[in-house]
Every structure is written in C-alpha cells, then in structure tokens.
C-alpha cells in the first residue's frame, strides 16, 4: 500500500537551510566523513513537523457520509470553458497590440462566426487565457477557431491500415467532424486513390495527442487481429509510457504489439493493445507486471507548492516533468489549471522520492516575483523610446518578465531569483536617477486648440518632444479637459511649456482664408498618396490646409495660420491650379451605346488597362443616360492614343464603316450649326452615325463619318447635298415657341415635323436639353422652302397660343388610372400635347366631368388620346399566362429590361406572382389556427400553382401577343452528347471555360455530376441562342479531341538501360546535361527512384522521333563514359584540403583542365590516402602526374609546420582539468526519526496497518505508531 507524508514548502526550506556548507558539499558528493557529525543533521520533527491534532466530531463516520451519495448533476444549456495558450504557442506576441490589432479582430470574428462569447486575460508569464461561454456546439466551434487562429500549429502523422480510414471519416464525414471539434485539430485523410496510409494531424500539441489516441482507438476497434483493453489507474500511466514515451516504445518493439496509452490530457484509464494474439498476450503480461511492481513498491508524498509556481514544475510543454521522471523514476502529479488545489503529489520508489522532491522544489523556487516602487508617470521613461531602455535589461536577462501596470506606482518583476535580484537593482538605479533629474508641469489650453497644437499627423507636438526631450500628454477630445501635462528634464519642461503657450497664443491671432478650387483638381493637388500636399505643407509648415469631404462636392479649400504665411500659401496654390488648368486637355469620343460594356470589359479590365497605359482619365456616361460620348482627360498626345484604342475596339466589334467626305472648311461652321444642333439632327436622322469635323482653323476639308455602312452612305449624301445648298442658295430663319409646344409640333415619332419637311424641303432643328435657349427653332434650306416652312410653323404656333378650356365625360371608375403614380399618365399627355392641363374632380365630389385647358389643337388631340385610352380600358381583359416560377427571373431579364420592353411594345400591364416561399409561410400561419376557423378547400392537383401564374391586363389582342412574347422568352433545354472524359476540359480551371461559353452565347450550360459518368451536357436558353451555343460547344469538343490525339502522340514512352554509376554523369552538375537533352528534344526523362527495383532503367516520354533522338544522345554519353578508366593513387590525406581548395575551387579547376573526375575518400574510410581518378586513359595519366607534383609541393609545407608545432607550449593538461569522482550519496538523512528511537524498527510500507488506505476501517492500534496517534 501507499504511504503519504505531507511536506510544506517552508519546512523543506527550513530543512535545507539547516545544513551547513560542509553538509551541502557532502550531499553533493564531497567528503563522506563530514556527514558523521550527527549534531549537525536536522531532526525528524524539524524536517517533518506533525500536523495539529484535531479529533473528529462525535457521530461522524469516516466511511459513510452525506457527500458520498451520488447526485445526478443538472446540465445547463450554456457552458463555460477556459482555454490556455502558452506564450511559446501564441501567434500574436506584441504586447502593444493587446486589446487591439489582429488579435482583437480575430476574437471578434470568432464570436461573430460561432455565437460564443469570448473573454481574454493575460497571465504573468504572458500566456493567454480565453474564457468561452455559450451553447456546447458554439463553444466547441469557438475552441477549434481559437486553436487554429490564435495558437501556433504543430503537425504529426499517424499510420493506420488504409481500410480503417473510412471508419475515421464516418457516415457523411460526421465522425471526422466530431473528432476535429472534440480535439480542436485539423485531420487530413488521404484520398481513396492515394496509396498512403498516413493520416496528417495539425493543431496544438495537446490536441495532436488526443486526436492520435482517438484515431488509434478507432483503428484498434476495426482491427481483425486481437484487441485487448486493460484498465490501469491513470496515476500509473507515466511508469508504463516512460519518460518521453521511451518505455512504451521499447515494449512495442519488443512484443510487436501496438500499445495505445491515452495521453495525460485525456481522462481515460483504458490502455488498448492490438496485434497478433501471442504479441498481445506478451505485452499484457509485461504491462501487468510493470503495473503490479509499481503499485507494490511506489509510495507518494504530497507537498504544497504555490499555484503560480506549478508552471515552472511542469516546464515548457511538460518537458520538466518528463526530465524528473527520466532522472529519478518518480512521477509528479500536478492538479489541473482550473483547480484551486496547490497540492503536488510525487509517486515513486521511497529511495528516489527525496531526490525528486529536491528537484521539484528547485524548479518551483527557481522563479520569484518582486516589485520596484516607481511613480507611474516615470514608467514611459524607464521603458524608453520603442522600449530601448528595457531592451538592454531584457537582452541580458531574457528570463525575467517586467510588467508595468497603468496607474500603479510600481513595477512587477518575475523570473529566476538571481536574475530578478539583478534586474531589480538595475531598475532601482534607473528610478533613483530619473527621480533626481526629471520634472513635470501642467498647463491649461482651450481644447479647441489641442488638435492645432498636435499638428497634421502629430508634426508639431513630435517636433517639440524631440527638441526639448520631453513627453507631452494632450487629453483626448472625449475627456474635454484643458490640462496638458509635460514631463522630462526640468529645463526641457520649462522650454516646452513656454513654446506651447506661445503656440496657443498665436492660435488666437491666426487668420482663416477660403480658396475656390474646382473639386476635380483636389485629388491632383493632394497626390496619389498625399505626397504633393505634404510638399506644400512642408513649404508652409505654419499653415493648416483643409480640403472638403469628396461627398460634399464643395470647391472651398480652407487655409488657416499666420496672415503672411496664409497669403504666400494661397498665391502658391493659385499658381499650381492655373498650371493644372493650362495643361489639362479633354476630348470626347462618340461610341455606340451598345459597345460601352465592351470598352469597359469584364470587371473593368479593358478600361483600366487603357487608363494605366495611356495615363489618362476616362469617364463613361451613366448606364441610364442617352449620351454616347466617352470623355478622355489628360495630356493631348495621351488622349489621342486612348481615343484611337477605344475606336479600334468599336471597329472590331461591329460592322462599322468610316468614310471621309471633302467639304470646304469655310462651310463647316454652318453645317455644324449653333452649338452643333444642325449636325446633331443629321446624326439622329441617319441612325446615330458619328460625324467628326476637323478643329476650327486647321484648314482641313476632310469630314469623317463613322457608323453602319447604310447609315454612313445616307449621311454622306445629306452632307454633300447640304454643302452644295450652302454654297449656292442657303437661307436660315429662327422662330420661337414655348418648350412645351415642341413635342406637339414634332408629333409622335416625328410625324408632324416630317410632313412639314417633306412638303417644303426645309430642315427644321429643335433645341436640345443642353441648349441654353429652349424656345429657339431654326429652319434651314432654300429661301422659298424656308419661307413656306416658316409660314406653316407660325400658323401652328399661333393656334397653340390660342388658349381654350373644354371638358369631357370620364366614368369615375377610370379616374384612378389617370391620376395613379402621382399623375404620371397626365404628365405624359401634357408633354406630348403642348402642355395641356387636365383636371379631374376630387374623389368626394362623385363627378364624371374632366376639364382640359390649353391650345385648341392640343386640347382636341389630348381629348382624342384620352378617349382612346378609355376605350382601351373598357375593352381591357385580364389574361393568365402559366410559366413555371423558376423561369420568371430569366424572362424579366437584367433589371426587368425584357418585361419593360414587352409592356411598352404591346401596351399591356404585366404582374408577376409572389415567390412560393411567402405563400408557404402564409399557409403555415393558417395551419397554426389563425384562419378564424375556416375550413381549407382541397387543392386541385391539375390546377396551376399560384406562383406560376403571370397576370396580363390590356386589350385582348395585345394580351395574346404579349403572352406569345413571354412564352418566347421561356428558356428551352437541349441535350448535346459530349464524351465524358472531355467534361473537365470544357469546364476549365475553376469553371473559367464554361463561364466564357455561357457569357458568349447567353445560355446556361449544365455538366452532369462526376459520379453519374454521363455523356449528356444540357444547354438551357432562348431558342434563338441554342443553335449557336450547340455549334460552339461541338467546335470546342473538336479542339479538345485534337488536343487529346496530340497528347497521345506526346505520350510515347521508351526505356534505356544504363548502369546506375553513370547516372550522375548523364544528369550533370545541377542537372545541366539532362536539362539540355530535355530542352533540345522536347521530352521528359525520368530516372529511377531510390527504392525502385530496376535501378538501371531510364524512361523517356515524348513524341516518338524525339524520344528516339534523346535516347541516342544519352547512349552517346554512355558510350563515351564506358571508354573511360579509373585509377587509384595514394595521396597523403594531410594535403587533401589544399588540393580541394576553398569550396572545391581547386579540384574543380583540375577536373576541368584535365577532363577527369577526382574522388577523395570519405571520413572514416579504411584508407584515408586513397584517391580515385576517372577519365580517358591519356587524361588520367596527365591528371595523376599533376596531383603527385602538387602532393610533393604541399608536403614540404606540412612537414615544416609540424616541426614548428613541436616547439609550441601545449594549451593545458587535460589531466589537471579532470574532476575527482564524487563519493556515493547517502540520500536524505535526519536524526531522531520514529523508526530509530528505542527498539522500534522502521515502518513496513507493505503493511496495511502501518500505511492504511484512505476511508478504510482500521482496528484499534495495539501499540503506538512511530507516526504518532492514529486519527481514523
């Protein structure tokens, strides 16, 4: 049975201090005779003071008590776990970033991802403690994230039979996920086609051990061989595994069985043994024998060690515990981190416990905690700039941790006792010195001036700090404090105070000036990374320059500072802006709207490339804008280059023709018209062609017309015709009409104005939105044509000026249609019919009278249009179109463009149903009993779903046409047969190939899943696109098949037999020769691996003729090598180094000169003087002669040096440095022990009476025990 003796740390220290120096020396192996003095030995009571006697209260029985009753614990849904990350395993060790930076971001991200709550705290040893609270799953997920993202990762591999891998993975990977969560590791299992049986685990050391143990258990359960489980008390596991796992490793090697002992972090007693029956039986016998032996012989001692010192006993990654076990054979049991217990238990043979105890206390007391008194305001000076002062101390004493606590007037030190004392002395000296020569003061400055005192990026305050060698603390804005604290050298503090007060005084007298600078220049003034504005601020350091926020779209730049400096800075910036305006050049390029997306490119790639390569700014019009102009800004030459590149893209994409027409330059202005109105009307009439006139004053007659061929020809004829008219009889007249009349004059689709043009032959130009004068109408043509057109237009305008008021009857049921959407229909009528005002009666009036006010003709036309609308409303029907909901998004098109076009073309209203999910939600609400007790009618299975029904409203014939248009937009699916092996090439890398095809043909291509092994690829899209997509896909298949054939030709393989000794020569130095052969013949050459059976086989892969040529080239090298001979010569080993030379330069030169290979013997060779020379016979002879000559020359130097060394004084006698052997240790010796008094004999440790178990009933003692009165 075990015996327990309790030692306090104080009593042990007292015992140690009771030894005289001679006895300490004797214990360390000095003169044994010095131990003979019994008086100098400590007594037993001194070393082991007895516990105070305290009898148990009456009626209390040791064996039975209320606390032994098992109570079923109640589990909370919210759990809390604490995880520790030691300093050496922390990813983020920068103390300045604690609570901020990457570490804080990672913790916030983990909380957001998992839903668990994290709290971080820092231990004195700089380890990290993380308390995680939440539901079990959330805590487990958070733990895994903490381990992977806050802790450095280690890795290990475990080999189990390949057929057991699937049991580790589990059904649908559930077992693997559970194992990863449980152990907080990442487990990588090789793919089924991978022959490897190695499972890779990455994570913390503790997690690796747990995962490895679990995987081996799973494998053991599945192993067809014998599996045995032994329940061994956890406390005896260290004796079975041995220090660093050596003992269990030896057992496995000796027995051939696999022994899986759970790691210390896993609270299991079961040891699993697998292998052949005989092996398992043998292993069990040995383990049981070892266990029984330890159980019988091992005793324990429980000692109290401060909780804070436990980590020093454990050591980094538990290495100290393993070292104690290895040296003494004693296992040290440390209570868990989350336990408040300070009791450390030592378990082992009695004779070794004393040594182990000494080592435990030595490790525990090797570190101490101390503090130094220092005012908190001095801490930053003790630390120094960027920690320079502390770095000097910590570099000398790296094991000492120095901690500064904000607001406390002390510094805490922790580390080895001697080192802490040294560091404490050094810091006390620094503190004394700082207190004697440092001072501080406080000044009051209005908070509104604080940021000006600090300056941009801290420029002002940093300058003061550097100049006066002081520290200045300005309170943050949220404190709203006036006090600024200055600390440092007394003289520097006074000077800094004076300068800060002067600055504050100057702030009160400064001037503010606002400059108007267009916002487009702000970015250029600031510079890409602020480098330009920095130059200005450096030039005018006293001026503060503030730019407005870009979102404000303000042109005001504010300057603030001394009056003269502000004026100088203002002039400088005005000059800078003037230069920018002068150097900026802008050009507009007309590009057809449909090609803008191609100019931009996917993800803006094209436009970005043009901008970067031409160094220009390129602005495209908004997507919903009607403008086709792309504006390029930058240097003139760069703008022209960018313009040409953009035009080239357009020319490639469409059938764009460009022609030049020669028109006298003097006529250009008249053809362009006022602000380009004339030429713009021609471009609009001719399908949006682009007409470009040369720069005014250039004298060039060529006018460029660009666009579709037919439209270009039409525009060319019109331009030439108009130019001829201008030269002969051109006449221009201007008329005025209210802008609201213009649409009515033009008519729907330009019908009215076209009649006037056709009847008179004159051209009529209306102002655009960009023109300032919106009333001016220009008429151009021959004098007679212009006069006639003027007459007709004036009559129309006069009739429009004749305002009348009329009314019409409209059924109240139709009123809502006209006034809906804030009167959008009425606004459209007013725009189209000369600004007619249509007034509907109020809803409460219940009247059907509608009033129209405006020009007589406009009122009549508006009435006619409204009657048509009412007729449509009366004839309106509602029609349903059933299309499965999954196609609705496709039918709508991007941003609803397709449906908008159908609505416009067929003049109908289209309403799509709500999504199915919402209907299901509504149904679930009714099922929950909130349908007022209504009984649901059974659903007709043949009836279409509500979510599939699209409702159309309008005239019957229009609705029918719209339904056909909708159905035409429903995607159709066709199947295309493509060989399965080509599917992955069609998909491309990360799906790039298939995405490109889908974008190009505007279809969706569905490739079957890999496991289906199907040849059918589905193409879904509009019927008009399917044929083109199918052709494109089949074309791609042909390309891939051609590539396959080429690959097959390139896969020709042949082998050549070459003796392995020639392989290095064929490869050449750093692979030079073989790389040359590979490159020249475009082949792959594979040499055998080390463990291959055929070590003489070289494999060549490539086109047949290339492979044969490469084989011949290798054979030629082999033939040449076979002609070579090898000769051995004897060269004194003392000259080898000189012949070889620095980094082998000497021997390489010899080998290159004589074209031979020279091999020197390796260290430990039988004959260290034997050197081998290989090459052609004539070259070998020459090289040997040269080497022998070198040997003769170098040996003379060697003999001379050895002669000198004989007369040199030796460095010291090795005999004198040898220490005398230590005497045998007598172990731990005390006087007046219980077993040494009278006739008492030493207690029998195997006796249950002498050493009873805890809680076991014991008979009354017949005699007094040496250990004192029994209290059981």
């Amino acid at each position: 049975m075990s015996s327990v003796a309790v030692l306090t740390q104080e009593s042990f220290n007292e015992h140690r201090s009771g030894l005289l120096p001679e006895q300490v020396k004797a214990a360390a192996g000095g003169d044994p005779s010095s131990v003979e003095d019994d008086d100098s030995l400590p007594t037993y009571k001194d070393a082991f003071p007895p516990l105070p006697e305290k009898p148990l209260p009456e009626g209390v029985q040791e064996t039975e008590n209320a606390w032994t009753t098992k109570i079923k614990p109640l589990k909370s849904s919210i759990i809390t776990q604490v995880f520790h990350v030691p300093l050496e395993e922390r990813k983020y060790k920068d103390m300045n970033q604690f609570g901020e930076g990457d570490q804080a971001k990672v913790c916030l991200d983990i909380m957001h991802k998992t839903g668990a709550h994290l709290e971080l705290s820092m231990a004195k040893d700089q380890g990290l403690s993380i308390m995680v609270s939440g539901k079990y799953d959330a805590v487990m997920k958070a733990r895994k994230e903490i381990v992977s993202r806050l802790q450095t990762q280690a890795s290990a591999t475990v080999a189990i039979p390949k057929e057991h891998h699937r049991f580790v993975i589990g059904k649908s990977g559930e077992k693997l996920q559970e194992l990863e969560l449980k152990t907080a590791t990442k487990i990588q299992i090789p793919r089924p086609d991978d022959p490897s049986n190695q499972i890779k685990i990455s994570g913390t050391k503790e997690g690796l051990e747990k995962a490895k143990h679990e995987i081996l258990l799973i494998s053991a359960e599945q192993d067809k061989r014998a599996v045995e489980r032994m329940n061994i008390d956890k406390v005896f596991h260290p004796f079975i595994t041995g220090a660093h796992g050596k003992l269990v490793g030896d057992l496995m090697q000796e027995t051939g069985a696999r022994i899986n002992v759970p790691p210390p972090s896993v609270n299991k007693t079961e040891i699993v043994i697998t292998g052949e029956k005989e092996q398992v039986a043998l292993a069990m016998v040995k383990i049981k024998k070892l266990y029984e032996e330890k159980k019988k012989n091992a005793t324990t001692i429980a000692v109290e060690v401060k909780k804070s010192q436990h980590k020093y006993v454990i050591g980094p990654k538990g290495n100290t515990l393993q070292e104690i076990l290895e040296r003494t054979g004693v296992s040290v049991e440390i209570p868990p981190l989350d336990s408040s217990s300070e009791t450390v238990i030592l378990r082992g043979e009695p004779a070794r416990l004393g040594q182990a105890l000494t080592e435990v206390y030595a490790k525990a007391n090797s570190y101490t905690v101390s503090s130094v008194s220092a005012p908190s305001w001095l801490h930053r000076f003790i630390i120094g700039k960027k920690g320079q002062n502390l770095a000097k101390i910590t570099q000398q004493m790296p094991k000492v941790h120095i901690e500064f606590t904000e607001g406390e007037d002390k510094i805490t030190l922790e580390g080895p006792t001697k080192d802490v004392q040294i560091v404490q002395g050094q810091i006390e000296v620094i503190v004394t010195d700082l207190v004697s020569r440092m001072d501080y003061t406080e000044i009051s400055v209005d908070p509104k001036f604080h940021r000006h005192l600090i300056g941009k990026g801290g420029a002002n305050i940093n300058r003061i700090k550097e100049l006066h060698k002081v520290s200045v603390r300005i309170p943050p804005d949220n404190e709203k404090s006036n006090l600024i604290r200055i600390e440092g050298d007394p003289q520097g503090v006074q000077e800094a105070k004076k300068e800060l007060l002067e600055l504050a005084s100057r702030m009160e007298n400064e001037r503010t000036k606002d400059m108007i600078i267009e916002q487009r220049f702000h970015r250029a003034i600031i510079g890409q990374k602020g480098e330009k504005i920095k130059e200005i601020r450096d030039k005018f350091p006293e001026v503060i320059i503030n730019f407005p926020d870009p979102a404000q779209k303000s042109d005001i730049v504010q300057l603030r500072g001394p009056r003269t400096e502000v004026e100088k800075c203002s002039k400088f910036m005005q000059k800078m802006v003037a230069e920018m305006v002068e150097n900026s050049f802008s050009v507009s390029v007309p590009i057809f709207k449909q090609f803008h997306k191609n100019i931009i490119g996917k993800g803006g790639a094209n436009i970005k490339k043009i901008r970067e390569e031409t160094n220009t700014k390129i602005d495209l019009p908004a997507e919903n804008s009607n403008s086709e102009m792309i504006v390029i800004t930058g240097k003139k030459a760069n703008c022209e280059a960018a313009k040409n590149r953009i035009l080239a893209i357009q020319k490639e994409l469409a059938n764009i023709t460009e022609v030049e027409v020669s028109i006298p330059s003097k006529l250009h202005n008249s053809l362009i018209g006022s602000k380009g109105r004339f030429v713009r009307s021609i471009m609009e009439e001719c399908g949006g062609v682009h007409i470009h006139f040369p720069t005014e004053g250039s004298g060039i007659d060529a006018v460029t017309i660009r666009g579709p061929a037919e439209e270009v020809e039409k525009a060319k004829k019109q331009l030439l015709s108009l130019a001829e008219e201008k030269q002969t009889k051109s006449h221009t007249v201007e008329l005025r009409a209210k802008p609201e009349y213009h649409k009515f004059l033009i008519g729907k689709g330009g019908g009215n104005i076209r009649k006037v043009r056709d009847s008179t032959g004159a051209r009529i130009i209306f102002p655009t939105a960009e023109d300032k004068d919106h009333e001016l109408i220009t008429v151009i043509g021959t004098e007679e044509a212009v006069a006639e057109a003027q007459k007709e237009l004036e009559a129309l305008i006069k009739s429009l000026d004749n305002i009348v008021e009329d009314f019409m009857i409209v059924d109240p049921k139709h009123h809502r249609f006209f006034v809906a959407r804030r009167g959008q229909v009425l606004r459209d009528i007013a725009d189209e019919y000369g600004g007619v005002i249509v007034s509907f009666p109020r809803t409460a009036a219940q009247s059907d009278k509608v009033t129209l006010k405006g020009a007589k003709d406009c009122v009549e036309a508006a009435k006619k249009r409204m009657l048509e609308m009412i007729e449509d409303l009366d004839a309106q029907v509602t029609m349903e179109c059933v299309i499965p909901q999954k196609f609705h998004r496709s039918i709508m098109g991007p941003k609803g463009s397709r449906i908008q076009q159908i609505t416009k073309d067929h003049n109908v209203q289209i309403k799509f149903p709500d999504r199915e999910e919402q209907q299901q939600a509504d149904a679930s609400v009714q099922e929950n009993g909130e349908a007022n007790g209504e009984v649901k009618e059974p659903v007709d299975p043949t009836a279409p779903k509500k979510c599939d029904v699209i409702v159309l409203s309008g005239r019957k014939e229009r609705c029918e046409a719209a339904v056909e248009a909708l159905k035409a937009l429903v995607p159709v699916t066709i199947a295309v047969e493509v060989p399965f092996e080509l599917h992955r090439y069609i998909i491309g890398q990360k799906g790039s190939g298939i995405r490109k095809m889908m974008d190009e043909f505007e279809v969706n291509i569905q490739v079957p899943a890999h496991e289906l092994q199907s040849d059918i690829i589905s193409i879904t899209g509009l019927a008009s696109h399917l044929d083109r997509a199918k052709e494109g896909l089949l074309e791609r298949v042909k390309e891939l098949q051609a590539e396959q054939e080429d690959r097959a030709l390139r896969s020709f393989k042949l082998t050549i037999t070459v003796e392995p000794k020639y392989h290095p020569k064929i490869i050449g130095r750093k692979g030079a020769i073989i790389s040359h052969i590979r490159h020249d013949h475009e082949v792959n050459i594979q040499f055998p691996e080390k463990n291959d059976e055929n070590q003489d086989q070289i494999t060549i892969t490539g086109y047949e003729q290339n492979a044969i040529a490469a084989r011949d080239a290798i054979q030629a090298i082999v033939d040449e090598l076979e002609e070579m001979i090898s000769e051995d010569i004897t060269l004194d080993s003392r000259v080898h180094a000189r012949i070889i030379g620095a980094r082998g330069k000497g021997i390489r030169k010899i080998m290159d000169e004589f074209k031979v290979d020279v091999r020197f013997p390796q260290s430990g060779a039988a004959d260290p003087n034997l050197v081998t020379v290989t090459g052609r016979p004539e070259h070998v002879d020459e090289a040997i002669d040269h080497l022998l000559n070198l040997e003769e020359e170098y040996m003379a130097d060697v003999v001379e040096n050895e002669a000198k060394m004989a007369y040199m004084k030796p460095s010291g006698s090795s005999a004198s440095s040898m220490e005398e052997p230590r005497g045998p240790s007598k172990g731990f010796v005390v006087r007046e022990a219980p077993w040494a008094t009278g006739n008492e004999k030493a207690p029998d440790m195997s006796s249950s009476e002498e050493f009873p178990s805890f809680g076991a009933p014991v008979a009354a003692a017949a005699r007094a025990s040496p250990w004192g009165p029994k209290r059981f």
Side-chain angles (χ1 to χ4, degrees), residues 840-886:
F840 277 78
R842 293 181 181 275
T843 310
Q846 294 295 319
S847 172
D848 58 359
K849 186 177 179 181
V850 176
T851 306
L852 295 89
K853 188 177 180 181
K856 188 177 180 181
D857 292 346
C858 293
V859 167
E860 289 300 322
K863 275 177 71 175
K864 186 180 177 184
R865 176 64 185 136
M866 286 177 70
L867 288 169
E868 287 176 4
M869 288 180 176
I870 292 164
E871 188 183 346
D872 284 348
L873 290 170
D874 288 333
Q876 185 168 305
V877 296
T878 300
M879 194 174 286
E880 292 184 349
C881 175
V882 179
I883 294 173
Q885 191 185 37
K886 64 182 179 180

Side-chain angles (χ1 to χ4, degrees), residues 339-371:
S339 166
S340 60
S341 172
E342 295 188 339
T343 304
V344 175
I345 296 173
L346 285 75
R347 189 183 304 275
E349 294 179 7
R352 311 297 291 275
L353 286 175
Q355 184 186 349
L357 186 61
T358 304
E359 290 201 20
V360 168
Y361 271 125
K363 290 293 180 184
N365 293 324
S366 62
Y367 279 69
T368 187
V369 179
S370 181
S371 64

Side-chain angles (χ1 to χ4, degrees), residues 573-647:
M573 290 182 71
Q574 282 172 349
K575 185 180 177 184
M576 190 176 178
V577 171
E579 287 176 4
M580 286 180 181
V581 173
E582 190 178 336
N583 294 332
S584 63
F585 179 79
S586 182
V587 64
S588 297
V589 187
I591 297 293
F592 294 106
K593 192 77 177 178
Q594 63 265 35
F595 300 132
H596 282 200
K597 61 180 181 181
N598 304 97
I599 302 292
I600 295 167
K602 190 170 184 181
N606 293 352
I607 199 76
K608 188 179 178 184
K609 188 178 180 184
I610 296 170
R611 281 172 179 155
E612 288 174 355
E613 292 181 2
T614 61
N615 195 23
T616 56
K617 181 186 175 187
I618 303 172
D619 295 317
L620 285 91
E623 198 175 329
N624 54 0
S625 166
N626 292 324
S627 172
E628 294 185 336
M629 289 296 180
I630 295 177
V631 181
I632 307 169
T633 309
K635 289 186 178 179
K636 188 173 181 180
N638 293 348
C639 288
E640 289 298 328
K643 175 185 172 182
N644 293 337
R645 288 183 66 165
I646 289 170
L647 290 172

Side-chain angles (χ1 to χ4, degrees), residues 140-376:
M140 289 297 101
K141 287 176 183 173
R143 176 191 176 196
K144 187 178 177 184
E145 290 286 329
I146 287 165
V147 167
S148 64
R149 298 175 67 180
L150 291 180
Q151 206 164 349
T152 54
Q153 303 291 293
S155 62
T157 56
V158 57
I160 64 170
K162 187 78 177 176
E163 59 271 17
H164 295 176
H165 287 195
R166 62 192 182 95
F167 298 104
V168 177
I169 296 168
K171 188 177 180 182
S172 304
E174 289 176 2
K175 184 70 178 174
L176 183 62
Q177 288 176 8
E178 181 191 340
L179 197 56
E180 287 184 330
L181 271 179
K182 186 176 173 183
T183 61
T185 55
K186 176 70 179 171
I187 302 170
Q188 294 176 340
I189 296 177
R191 295 174 61 85
D193 52 359
D194 188 342
S196 172
N197 65 349
Q198 298 281 345
I199 295 176
K200 187 177 179 184
I201 314 166
S202 55
T204 61
K205 186 182 176 184
E206 184 183 333
L208 293 180
E209 288 176 349
K210 287 183 180 179
K212 196 171 179 180
H213 174 70
E214 293 291 340
I215 289 169
L216 289 172
L217 277 183
I218 292 167
S219 177
E221 287 172 7
Q222 303 303 327
D223 204 325
K224 292 177 183 176
R225 297 177 296 171
V227 178
E228 290 291 345
R229 291 173 172 78
M230 295 181 70
N231 276 311
I232 304 288
D233 291 344
K234 186 77 179 175
V235 293
F236 291 101
H237 285 194
F239 299 113
I240 293 164
T241 56
H244 306 290
K246 186 181 177 185
L247 191 55
V248 78
D250 292 345
L251 272 174
M252 286 195 285
Q253 193 171 356
E254 186 181 342
T255 62
R258 188 165 68 189
I259 304 168
N260 186 14
V261 181
S265 55
V266 177
N267 192 20
K268 287 185 179 179
T269 60
E270 192 179 69
I271 296 176
V272 181
I273 309 162
T274 56
E276 299 297 334
K277 285 185 179 179
E278 296 80 4
Q279 295 173 341
V280 170
L282 181 60
M284 284 184 70
V285 168
K286 287 186 175 289
I287 291 170
K288 193 168 183 181
K289 182 182 176 184
L290 189 59
Y291 170 55
E292 294 293 344
E293 183 184 334
K294 289 295 176 185
K295 192 174 180 183
K296 181 180 177 183
N297 297 333
T299 62
T300 60
I301 290 180
V303 294
E304 299 296 317
V305 177
K306 288 181 182 177
K307 191 76 179 175
S308 59
Q309 294 178 324
H310 285 192
K311 56 179 173 284
Y312 309 131
V313 178
I314 296 168
K317 298 183 180 178
N319 285 339
T320 303
L321 293 179
Q322 296 294 321
E323 288 168 9
I324 293 172
L325 180 62
E326 186 174 21
R327 284 198 293 268
T328 67
V330 174
S331 168
V332 182
E333 298 162 21
I334 307 287
L337 288 170
D338 52 1
S339 166
S340 60
S341 172
E342 295 188 339
T343 304
V344 175
I345 296 173
L346 285 75
R347 189 183 304 275
E349 294 179 7
R352 311 297 291 275
L353 286 175
Q355 184 186 349
L357 186 61
T358 304
E359 290 201 20
V360 168
Y361 271 125
K363 290 293 180 184
N365 293 324
S366 62
Y367 279 69
T368 187
V369 179
S370 181
S371 64
V372 179
S373 295
S376 59

